[in-house]
Amino acid sequence: MSESNQNSLFSKVINWAAIALLVYLVLVAVGTVSGGFKLASGGSAGAKEIFEFATNPFVALLLGALATALVQSSSTVTSVIVGLVAGGLPIGIAIPMVMGANIGTTITNTLVSIGHIRSKEEFQRAFAASTVHDFFNLLAVTIFLPLEIMFGVLQKLAESLSHLFVGDADLSLKSYNFIKPLVKPAVGLVKDAVSFLDGKAVGVAMVVVGIALILFAVTTLGKLLKKALVGKAKDLLHSAIGRGPVAGISSGAAVTIMVQSSSTTTSLMIPLAGSGVFNTRQIYPFTLGANIGTTITALLAATSISGPAAEVALTIALVHVMFNVFAVALIYGIPTLRELPLVMAEKLAKIGANNKPAALGYVLGSFFVVPGIIMMAVR
């Protein structure tokens, strides 16, 4: 084997070792957030007091959207939510937050489309391809949030499934949970590091450290996975788009699971749309697959939780999965609903191409200004 091949192999081994370490760090971080939240809140009763301002599901929705827009990662936010639920955050508040995270994550590919702003035609194509994701997620929330508030459909289904895998004596995973022994020493190190603080401040510090670790780990993990897999991801993207909706949705989910980031997946498509290689209708199913694929991170995070909180942590992760799967099945499955995001995205792109400040105003207003103002007003 030549020296260059040896160096290449060594580099790949190091890269995958770093990926494994970062996956472990995500699990540790979620465990840290969960443990810290329990200490800071003094149990579930205290947690309810801390999140009293978000008992309105619409405020919780906006909180999830705003948080995701700020960190530009729904994977990060949903992982934090899993940890908070395990620490006592009411699941009725967490569900709208997860839905909001779906809305907030669409800002990344919309920002990528701004890179085509110098060319009117390119910008119109790119902006339409990016905002179809926005309108799909808004439509999904418009349909499913009221249903969830009135009937709790997603929560009930998720609770049934999580009880099957965690709570049932015959099928319990608790006795096979090897994650807790792996992460417990590292979580203990974090707790010891902030133990110089007093009382509940230790819990608050653990939550802050845990969130910082999640943000670092998920961001870095995305970069390393792109380095390891982006060539294959691009090949899959090129081969799948245009082969029909089922292939598009499936490959969108597969690529997103590979790179652990729906933002990365959807952003890969925008330059292709801007250059005219694919149109918005062709890219649309791939985007929906990315919505499904991004739920893998919350499921991964839920595996780090054990004990009494394991079931509720898995419940919120499953809610995320089912929300995205059901939204794709319902909206894309009904022709009238399927066309709405396309029509709205193309109309907005036409307006934005003719009025660039309006396009920038849409991005800032939709993801930051309006959610922020509404949240402050409600509080």
Side-chain angles (χ1 to χ4, degrees):
M1 184 182 290
S2 67
E3 186 176 342
S4 61
N5 287 337
Q6 287 180 334
N7 290 336
S8 176
L9 179 61
F10 179 73
S11 177
K12 288 179 180 178
V13 170
I14 294 296
N15 197 60
W16 281 107
I19 288 169
L21 180 62
L22 286 166
V23 169
Y24 173 73
L25 188 59
V26 170
L27 299 176
V28 170
V30 172
T32 301
V33 170
S34 174
F37 190 61
K38 287 176 183 175
L39 288 175
S41 65
S44 60
K48 290 179 182 178
E49 291 176 9
I50 291 173
F51 284 89
E52 190 175 3
F53 75 95
T55 50
N56 183 326
F58 299 104
V59 176
L61 176 77
L62 293 170
L63 181 62
L66 185 60
T68 308
L70 289 171
V71 302
Q72 293 201 32
S73 172
S74 62
S75 298
T76 299
V77 173
T78 53
S79 296
V80 170
I81 291 170
V82 167
L84 293 178
V85 165
L89 175 67
I91 199 164
I93 295 173
I95 290 173
M97 283 184 181
V98 166
M99 293 182 178
N102 259 32
I103 295 172
T105 194
T106 63
I107 189 175
T108 307
N109 55 308
T110 305
L111 289 173
V112 170
S113 71
I114 302 295
H116 295 269
I117 203 164
R118 292 182 181 178
S119 168
K120 180 179 176 180
E121 291 76 17
E122 281 190 24
F123 179 62
Q124 184 169 337
R125 290 192 294 262
F127 201 59
S130 64
T131 55
V132 74
H133 195 191
D134 303 2
F135 288 113
F136 175 85
N137 284 335
L138 284 169
L139 181 59
V141 169
T142 301
I143 293 170
F144 283 94
L145 182 57
L147 289 175
E148 191 62 25
I149 292 170
M150 290 186 289
F151 306 110
V153 178
L154 296 175
Q155 182 176 344
K156 289 174 183 176
L157 285 172
E159 284 174 344
S160 298
L161 284 173
S162 62
H163 181 71
L164 180 68
F165 289 112
V166 178
D168 187 87
D170 295 326
L171 296 174
S172 175
L173 298 180
K174 289 178 183 176
S175 59
Y176 305 102
N177 192 329
F178 61 92
I179 298 294
K180 185 179 180 180
L182 285 176
V183 302
K184 189 175 181 180
V187 173
L189 286 175
V190 175
K191 185 177 180 180
D192 291 342
V194 298
S195 60
F196 63 91
L197 297 169
D198 296 324
K200 293 183 178 181
V202 174
V204 173
M206 287 179 68
V207 171
V208 171
V209 171
I211 290 173
L213 287 175
I214 289 172
L215 183 58
F216 166 77
V218 171
T219 303
T220 311
L221 185 62
K223 290 178 181 177
L224 290 179
L225 283 168
K226 274 199 289 184
K227 183 179 177 182
L229 299 169
V230 77
K232 295 178 183 178
K234 282 185 176 178
D235 291 342
L236 183 55
L237 186 152
H238 279 279
S239 63
I241 292 178
R243 286 192 175 184
V246 175
I249 292 170
S250 301
S251 54
V255 171
T256 304
I257 290 170
M258 285 165 64
V259 300
Q260 292 265 308
S261 171
S262 61
S263 300
T264 298
T265 305
T266 53
S267 296
L268 281 171
M269 297 182 292
I270 305 307
L272 296 175
S275 61
V277 175
F278 297 110
N279 60 39
T280 304
R281 188 174 294 276
Q282 290 173 309
I283 283 174
Y284 184 22
F286 199 88
T287 299
L288 306 189
N291 263 15
I292 296 171
T294 195
T295 62
I296 191 68
T297 310
L299 283 172
L300 173 67
T303 65
S304 68
I305 308 298
S306 60
E311 192 170 325
V312 73
L314 183 59
T315 296
I316 192 62
L318 289 172
V319 164
H320 192 203
V321 175
M322 290 190 294
F323 170 58
N324 284 304
V325 171
F326 291 170
V328 170
L330 179 67
I331 296 173
Y332 202 82
I334 299 175
T336 304
L337 292 177
R338 182 194 310 157
E339 293 298 312
L340 281 177
L342 283 168
V343 172
M344 297 298 291
E346 287 170 356
K347 283 185 177 179
L348 181 63
K350 189 174 182 180
I351 294 170
N354 292 318
N355 187 349
K356 305 296 173 56
L360 296 173
Y362 164 79
V363 175
L364 294 175
S366 299
F367 294 101
F368 300 106
V369 179
V370 173
I373 290 173
I374 293 174
M375 283 182 60
M376 287 189 290
V378 173
R379 287 190 70 182

